[in-house]
């Protein structure tokens, strides 16, 4: 796979799955805009690792559950690179608690970060992809969104929402050269 001349945004890419995705996209040629919320050092470290591969990279601190921050993230990418070809909706958190004890805040926070962010980021890049008549939208769901898990009603709901959202987006944009797919990893268990 050669992604030279392609520009990717990977949310939640300071560590974990997002970091691995960002590095792999750079390895196959893409310029990568890495994003996360919090301290800049881990995110800058990922961007530096990408630049060490002789690939272009920007680190953008942004809260992807905030419409204004998402606009700034996408505008930074397009102002710097002129386009966005690939979006990886990876940002996600957990606030585990049994439903009986779950606070409204824990419910809302997880739904905003894990589901609303995918909507906001997808909507923000879609105009660019529609103009280009090409794009790839990949959203990270979870097997928990398909099977549920005690203590994770908020997370399971958000990840199930990602799956339904992705199916709808795919049907809306397929005729314009844009694909939308969800990946639902399972929890790894020690061997």
């Amino acid at each position: 796979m050669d992604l030279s001349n392609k520009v990717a945004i990977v949310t939640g890419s300071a560590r974990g799955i997002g970091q691995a995705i960002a590095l792999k996209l750079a390895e196959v040629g893409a310029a990568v805009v890495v994003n996360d919320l919090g301290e800049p050092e881990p995110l800058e470290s990922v961007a530096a690792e990408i630049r060490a591969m002789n690939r272009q990279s920007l680190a953008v601190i942004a809260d992807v559950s905030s419409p204004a921050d998402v606009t700034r993230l996408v505008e930074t990418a397009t102002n710097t690179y002129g386009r966005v070809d690939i979006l990886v909706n990876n940002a996600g958190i957990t606030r585990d608690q049994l439903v009986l004890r779950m606070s409204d805040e824990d419910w809302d926070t997880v739904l905003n970060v894990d589901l609303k962010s995918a909507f906001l980021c997808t909507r923000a890049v879609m105009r660019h992809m529609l103009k280009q008549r090409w794009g790839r939208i990949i959203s990270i769901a979870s097997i928990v969104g398909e099977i549920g898990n005690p203590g994770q009603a908020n997370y399971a709901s958000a990840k199930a929402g990602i799956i339904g959202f992705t199916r709808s987006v795919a049907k809306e944009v397929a005729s314009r050269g844009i694909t939308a797919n969800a990946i639902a990893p399972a929890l790894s268990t020690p061997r």
Side-chain angles (χ1 to χ4, degrees), residues 83-155:
R83 60 190 299 121
V84 174
D85 303 288
I86 301 162
L87 169 65
V88 180
N89 290 309
N90 173 70
I93 61 167
T94 58
R95 297 283 188 274
D96 296 351
Q97 189 60 262
L98 296 173
V99 170
L100 188 60
R101 296 185 184 132
M102 187 175 292
S103 70
D104 293 353
E105 181 183 353
D106 285 345
W107 176 269
D108 291 342
T109 300
V110 170
L111 270 286
N112 285 337
V113 174
D114 293 21
L115 179 58
K116 182 180 178 184
S117 68
F119 160 69
L120 293 173
C121 292
T122 299
R123 183 178 66 182
V125 302
M126 200 170 290
R127 276 188 209 94
H128 302 284
M129 292 180 176
L130 288 169
K131 273 187 188 174
Q132 296 164 187
R133 298 190 65 81
W134 196 93
R136 300 293 179 259
I137 301 166
I138 301 107
S139 297
I140 306 302
S142 169
I143 192 69
V144 172
E146 295 181 19
I147 64 171
N149 199 31
Q152 291 192 313
N154 50 4
Y155 182 76

Side-chain angles (χ1 to χ4, degrees), residues 19-188:
Q19 178 183 10
I21 291 169
L23 294 173
K24 188 62 176 179
L25 288 168
E27 187 181 301
V28 295
V32 184
V33 178
V34 292
N35 156 261
D36 219 306
L37 184 61
E39 294 299 315
E41 289 82 17
L43 195 60
E44 282 295 342
S45 176
V46 175
E49 195 171 342
I50 291 169
R51 288 190 290 269
M53 295 181 206
N54 292 318
R55 302 289 187 247
Q56 295 181 328
S57 185
L58 286 176
V60 180
I61 300 288
D63 175 357
V64 290
S65 69
S66 159
D69 276 16
V70 168
T71 297
R72 180 174 54 78
L73 170 64
V74 174
E75 284 179 355
T76 300
T78 57
N79 289 342
T80 303
Y81 299 117
R83 60 190 299 121
V84 174
D85 303 288
I86 301 162
L87 169 65
V88 180
N89 290 309
N90 173 70
I93 61 167
T94 58
R95 297 283 188 274
D96 296 351
Q97 189 60 262
L98 296 173
V99 170
L100 188 60
R101 296 185 184 132
M102 187 175 292
S103 70
D104 293 353
E105 181 183 353
D106 285 345
W107 176 269
D108 291 342
T109 300
V110 170
L111 270 286
N112 285 337
V113 174
D114 293 21
L115 179 58
K116 182 180 178 184
S117 68
F119 160 69
L120 293 173
C121 292
T122 299
R123 183 178 66 182
V125 302
M126 200 170 290
R127 276 188 209 94
H128 302 284
M129 292 180 176
L130 288 169
K131 273 187 188 174
Q132 296 164 187
R133 298 190 65 81
W134 196 93
R136 300 293 179 259
I137 301 166
I138 301 107
S139 297
I140 306 302
S142 169
I143 192 69
V144 172
E146 295 181 19
I147 64 171
N149 199 31
Q152 291 192 313
N154 50 4
Y155 182 76
S157 297
K159 295 306 184 174
I162 287 287
I163 294 166
F165 173 73
T166 301
R167 286 179 174 149
S168 295
V169 169
K171 290 178 179 186
E172 288 182 19
V173 297
S175 67
R176 302 292 293 273
I178 302 167
T179 62
N181 291 281
I183 299 169
L187 290 172
S188 61

